């Protein structure tokens, strides 16, 4: 490169400065604030039964919505990328809706539809089913908000790869199911890992939509982000940051899992450098 | 096994890709479907394979070995197919690619692992890639990939082998090698084969019979010699290599169009009879097996191209001692004459 040495150094410093200011500093702040009142208080805050139930609900929500979106996302991408059918572009736009609307509105829509005064309110109450202000509503809202992540990762890749390999598989005698499991899915595993990581991070951290449908019932319908907000609003800063650090740790665990999976796949196919 | 495709008709959104095409390929024959892009050759191949379906209301029938397979799904047809861009499974090794068709068989028909390995290794020997069996497609050259694709297609012991521009993505030298190799392979394993190509040289070199397609119809079908020396239409003449067009001073008011290939023209210093055309030498290209001389004729009609291309042997070229800028006379030794498009 013909770039002068100092230009390069300056650019690197600016980039590093941004990363430090926008990513590193907040993470450090979370842990410093969390530990401000000492380790004892920190442990007490995160082992608090209310914090624990919030953690459990968050993990349950993430597990269910990622699993559901995995199935729906793969199905939708497969349809959109490999087939041409009427309504295809409509489906593609529908998938993007959760990205386009504010999460708060998504939450409100669920209240309107499933709430006690909503469209299905009466029949749901008659059958003793509660969705809004209960975990099912939280899971539904999270699923809605995170729906595009997996599909949006898969569609461009599947489209780029075309249908040649699938056609080859079918002509070699493979059934549709075999073609999907042996050819389509393995070809997209990188995008799938990314989609899962993104969807998981978002479903653990989702605030807006969940806040509307949750009702903030402590110990029952609070997820970790909602619990952090409540503690913060009660001026219980150290406890708020302690619980926030839990969320941060969950994110770190996700990233470590992703790295491990990437490493494993790369060992299997050492020839294919990422990306 | 013989292929008998009858009345194949296919329309893509008002574009007629195939208009009532019937094609018969005898058992063990290797034919080339030759035509420009958009002539329908690939569509015909994909309909035989079951990847595309003919128009619903057409009388299309596809028979292999006498059985109508047009209602069968592609996965049941046992058709070997080779794609232009290989379509190898990128996440599988060479070995697993070749083994794929054997592994996806219904459980009862599946070979025991030992037999399967034996069979795949035999095929890898055939394509001379045994040493590469644990490599991935991305580690192979284009020519090697296409050989793997061929072995993969042969693994299912196909009733027919369909090749869709199999050498189209390869460079000239590899292409040449693979053509010969395919020819030899076909002599060893004489499976009925259809090769789609837009390269006339390839078609004439490889195939037992060449079927020339144009605008969704079969223009001519015959041995390479027949189509080259006895073309039935202007399209066939112009498609099968370079050709010069002259207008005959036709009898009565019908215009005769005269097609002469570059090697059928002679150059003379002095006109010996009335049929020679005066032309000025524009360019001489003498590097290669023949000497190509590009001339510009002194008089030309609107429809005629003023350029004339002549191919001479090096001996002829030397004895004539031609130079750029000279005016000489060009005479046809042989020609194909068409009146109103046909002969």
């Amino acid at each position: 490169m013909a770039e002068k040495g100092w230009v390069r150094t300056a650019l690197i410093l600016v980039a590093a400065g941004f990363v430090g200011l926008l990513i590193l500093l907040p993470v450090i702040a979370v842990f410093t604030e969390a530990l401000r009142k000492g380790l004892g208080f920190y442990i007490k805050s995160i082992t608090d039964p209310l914090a624990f139930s919030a953690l459990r609900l968050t993990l349950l929500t993430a597990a269910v919505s990622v699993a559901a979106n995995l199935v729906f996302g793969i199905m939708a991408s497969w349809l959109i990328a490999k087939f041409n059918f009427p309504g295809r572009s409509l489906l593609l736009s529908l998938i993007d809706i959760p990205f386009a609307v504010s999460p708060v509105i998504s939450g409100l829509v669920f209240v309107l539809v499933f709430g006690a005064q909503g469209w299905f309110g009466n029949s749901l109450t008659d059958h003793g089913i509660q969705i809004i202000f209960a975990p099912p509503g939280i899971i539904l809202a999270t699923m809605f908000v995170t729906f595009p992540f997996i599909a949006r990762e898969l569609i461009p890749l599947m489209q780029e790869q075309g249908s040649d390999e699938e056609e080859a598989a079918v002509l070699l005698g493979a059934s549709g199911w075999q073609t999907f499991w042996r050819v389509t899915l393995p070809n997209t595993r990188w995008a799938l890992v990314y989609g899962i990581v993104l969807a998981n991070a978002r479903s653990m951290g989702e605030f807006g939509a969940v806040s509307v449908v949750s009702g903030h019932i402590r110990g029952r319908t609070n997820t970790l982000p909602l619990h952090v907000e409540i503690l913060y609003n009660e001026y219980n800063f150290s406890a708020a940051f302690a619980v926030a650090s839990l969320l941060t740790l969950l994110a770190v665990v996700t990233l470590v899992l992703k790295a491990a999976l990437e490493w494993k796949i790369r060992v299997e196919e050492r020839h294919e450098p990422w990306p | 096994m013989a292929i008998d495709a009858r009345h194949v008709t296919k329309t893509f959104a008002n574009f007629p890709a195939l208009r009532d095409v019937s094609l018969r390929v005898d058992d063990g024959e290797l034919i080339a479907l030759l035509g420009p892009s958009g002539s329908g050759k690939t569509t015909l191949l994909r309909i035989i394979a079951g990847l595309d379906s003919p128009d619903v209301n057409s009388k299309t029938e596809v028979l292999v070995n006498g059985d109508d397979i047009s209602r069968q799904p592609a996965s049941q047809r046992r058709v070997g197919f080779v794609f232009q861009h290989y379509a190898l499974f990128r996440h599988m090794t060479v070995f697993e690619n070749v083994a794929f068709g054997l592994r996806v068989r219904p459980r009862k028909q599946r070979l025991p692992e030992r037999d399967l390995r034996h069979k795949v290794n035999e095929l890898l020997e055939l394509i001379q890639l045994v040493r590469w069996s644990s490599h991935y497609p991305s580690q192979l050259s284009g020519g090697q990939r296409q050989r793997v694709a061929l072995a993969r297609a042969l693994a299912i012991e196909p009733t027919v082998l369909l090749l869709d521009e199999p050498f189209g993505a390869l460079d000239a030298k590899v292409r040449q090698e693979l053509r010969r190799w395919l020819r030899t392979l076909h002599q060893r394993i004489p499976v009925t084969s259809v090769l789609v190509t837009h390269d006339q040289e390839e078609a004439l070199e490889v195939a037992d019979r060449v079927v020339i397609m144009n605008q969704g119809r079969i223009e001519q079908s015959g041995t390479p010699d027949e189509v080259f020396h006895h073309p039935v239409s202007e399209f066939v003449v112009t498609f099968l290599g370079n050709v010069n067009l002259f207008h005959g001073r036709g009898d009565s008011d019908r215009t005769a169009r005269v097609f002469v290939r570059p090697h059928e023209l002679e150059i003379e210093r002095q006109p010996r009879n009335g049929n020679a055309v005066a032309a000025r030498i524009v360019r001489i290209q003498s590097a290669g097996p023949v000497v190509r001389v590009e001339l510009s004729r002194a008089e030309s009609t609107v429809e005629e191209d003023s350029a004339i291309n002549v191919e001479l042997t090096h001996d002829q070229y030397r004895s004539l001692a031609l130079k750029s800028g000279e005016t000489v006379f060009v005479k046809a030794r042989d020609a194909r004459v068409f009146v109103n498009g046909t002969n």
Side-chain angles (χ1 to χ4, degrees):
Chain A
M1 292 293 266
E3 234 68 76
K4 285 205 180 76
W6 67 267
V7 176
R8 203 163 38 175
T9 317
L11 284 175
I12 292 173
L13 280 178
V14 169
F18 263 108
V19 172
L21 195 69
L22 293 174
I23 297 172
L24 221 53
L25 196 67
V27 172
I28 294 170
V30 165
F31 284 96
T32 345
E33 286 300 318
L35 291 164
R36 185 168 291 258
K37 289 188 182 168
L39 198 60
F41 183 82
Y42 178 79
I43 290 169
K44 197 169 142 270
S45 305
I46 61 172
T47 51
D48 176 72
L50 294 179
F52 187 71
S53 88
L55 173 67
R56 214 173 46 192
L57 183 59
T58 297
L59 291 179
L60 174 76
T61 306
V64 175
S65 55
V66 168
N69 279 336
L70 197 58
V71 176
F72 295 144
I74 290 173
M75 270 167 35
S77 334
W78 192 60
L79 281 175
I80 286 171
K82 310 279 180 183
F83 298 93
N84 226 330
F85 53 92
R88 184 172 159 275
S89 47
L90 180 71
L91 184 59
L92 196 58
S93 333
L94 281 177
I95 288 174
D96 278 343
I97 283 187
F99 275 168
V101 301
S102 154
V104 177
I105 296 172
S106 325
L108 283 173
V109 169
F110 280 101
V111 173
L112 271 177
V113 176
F114 297 114
Q117 268 71 50
W119 293 357
F120 303 124
N122 286 335
S123 54
L124 286 171
T125 320
D126 291 347
H127 292 89
I129 301 167
Q130 195 184 2
I131 288 179
I132 299 305
F133 306 142
I138 292 169
I139 290 171
L140 273 177
T142 308
M143 268 167 62
F144 178 82
V145 171
T146 56
F147 184 72
F149 286 96
I150 288 170
R152 270 288 161 197
E153 285 288 325
L154 288 181
I155 291 169
L157 183 69
M158 284 188 176
Q159 275 174 335
E160 184 216 307
Q161 289 180 344
S163 307
D164 272 11
E165 288 182 46
E166 277 82 2
E167 287 183 347
V170 167
L171 288 167
L172 290 165
S175 64
W177 195 242
Q178 283 173 321
T179 305
F180 178 75
W181 281 107
R182 288 168 182 254
V183 177
T184 310
L185 205 57
N187 273 349
T188 51
R189 50 190 167 184
W190 284 107
L192 212 55
V193 168
Y194 267 80
I196 292 171
V197 168
L198 288 177
N200 182 55
R202 181 65 190 267
S203 46
M204 290 194 304
E206 175 54 28
F207 181 82
V210 168
S211 172
V212 177
V213 296
S214 133
H216 305 270
I217 308 165
R218 285 197 192 196
R220 282 184 49 209
T221 64
N222 260 354
T223 59
L224 281 180
L226 299 183
H227 192 60
V228 171
E229 196 216 9
I230 290 175
L231 292 171
Y232 191 83
N233 286 345
E234 289 169 348
Y235 301 99
N236 200 347
F237 295 134
S238 288
F241 278 108
V243 176
S245 78
L246 261 188
L247 263 177
T248 315
L249 282 175
L250 281 178
V252 172
V253 169
T254 312
L255 287 177
V256 168
L257 280 178
K258 179 193 137 229
L261 199 59
E262 272 177 8
W263 180 79
K264 190 172 167 289
I265 296 178
R266 202 169 306 179
V267 168
E268 275 174 26
E269 37 178 284
R270 212 166 289 140
H271 64 294
E272 255 179 12
W274 173 254
Chain B
M1 292 176 202
I3 305 172
D4 202 353
R6 296 176 187 161
H7 309 295
V8 184
T9 306
K10 174 76 177 174
T11 315
F12 288 115
N14 297 327
F15 171 73
L18 291 170
R19 317 172 194 221
D20 195 22
V21 169
S22 294
L23 173 76
R24 195 185 148 78
V25 190
D26 290 329
D27 189 21
E29 203 182 12
L30 195 173
I31 73 149
L33 280 182
L34 176 67
S37 54
S39 59
K41 54 193 193 306
T42 293
T43 309
L44 180 56
L45 200 73
R46 289 175 63 88
I47 286 176
I48 296 173
L51 292 175
D52 275 335
S53 41
D55 286 353
V56 188
N57 47 6
S58 69
K59 286 177 289 175
T60 304
E61 280 182 316
V62 180
L63 279 70
V64 170
N65 203 22
D67 302 325
D68 189 357
I69 58 162
S70 40
R71 302 275 171 279
Q72 277 177 21
S75 59
Q76 306 287 305
R77 294 192 185 189
R78 249 180 75 207
V79 157
F81 202 99
V82 175
F83 294 80
Q84 179 176 7
H85 298 288
Y86 329 119
L88 293 178
F89 305 125
R90 66 193 85 195
H91 64 285
M92 290 182 205
T93 60
V94 166
F95 184 95
E96 286 305 321
N97 263 282
V98 177
F100 186 88
L102 304 171
R103 293 211 192 279
V104 296
R105 280 186 188 171
R107 202 172 297 275
K108 278 179 195 156
Q109 297 164 31
R110 227 174 280 169
L111 293 173
E113 186 67 17
R114 215 159 56 98
D115 298 357
L116 182 141
R117 298 206 148 263
H118 181 70
K119 183 160 185 183
V120 172
N121 280 321
E122 262 182 9
L123 284 161
L124 291 176
E125 256 166 52
L126 184 74
I127 59 166
Q128 292 150 18
L129 285 177
V130 178
R131 287 193 317 121
W132 298 81
S133 70
S134 54
H135 286 69
Y136 286 87
S138 58
Q139 295 167 296
L140 306 183
S141 72
Q144 289 173 324
R145 287 184 208 185
Q146 203 54 294
R147 268 145 59 196
V148 175
L150 204 67
R152 180 178 71 174
L154 290 174
I156 60 167
E157 290 168 18
T159 53
V160 297
L161 186 62
L162 308 176
L163 306 113
D164 185 12
E165 304 255 6
F167 312 133
L170 302 169
D171 58 57
K173 193 165 172 294
V174 181
R175 220 155 142 156
Q176 190 78 32
E177 282 168 20
L178 272 188
R179 265 187 226 166
R180 296 225 178 93
W181 181 76
L182 180 70
R183 193 61 250 186
T184 333
L185 185 78
H186 187 257
Q187 273 154 13
R188 275 182 65 181
I189 309 170
V191 50
T192 312
S193 308
V194 181
L195 170 88
V196 159
T197 179
H198 62 263
D199 178 346
Q200 24 91 19
E201 218 178 290
E202 185 169 295
L204 297 175
E205 186 182 323
V206 174
D208 300 322
R209 187 155 60 91
V210 178
V211 175
I212 296 154
M213 294 191 65
N214 182 31
Q215 296 184 347
R217 286 200 184 90
I218 290 177
E219 198 88 13
Q220 187 175 3
S221 162
T223 64
D225 262 0
E226 280 166 12
V227 295
F228 191 78
H229 295 294
H230 308 285
V232 297
S233 67
E234 289 189 8
F235 174 81
V236 176
V237 184
T238 47
F239 196 71
L240 290 180
N242 289 325
V243 74
N244 296 290
L245 170 62
F246 298 91
H247 275 259
R249 266 160 277 189
D251 41 304
S252 72
D253 49 293
R254 302 219 283 181
T255 51
R257 287 152 67 84
V258 181
F259 292 87
V260 188
R261 297 211 179 279
H263 68 270
E264 294 164 339
L265 285 170
E266 275 172 5
I267 292 180
E268 296 173 336
R269 291 239 166 236
Q270 296 299 325
R272 258 176 277 166
N273 62 43
N275 281 336
V277 176
R280 195 172 52 82
I281 299 176
V282 178
R283 209 171 105 85
I284 300 173
Q285 193 199 323
S286 59
V290 292
V291 179
R292 292 171 208 276
V293 185
E294 192 185 320
L295 305 102
S296 173
R297 64 184 101 183
E299 300 165 23
S300 64
T301 61
V302 184
E303 254 191 280
E304 284 173 333
D305 194 352
S306 72
I308 302 176
N309 290 296
V310 180
E311 281 174 16
L312 300 175
T313 65
H314 283 274
D315 284 347
Q316 288 171 325
Y317 171 59
R318 259 192 304 269
S319 66
L320 282 163
L322 300 173
K323 288 199 181 61
S324 283
E326 284 183 304
T327 298
V328 290
F329 296 89
V330 177
K331 201 179 76 179
R333 229 181 299 123
D334 199 355
R336 272 145 295 270
V337 181
F338 292 92
V339 177
N340 296 337
T342 50
N343 61 350

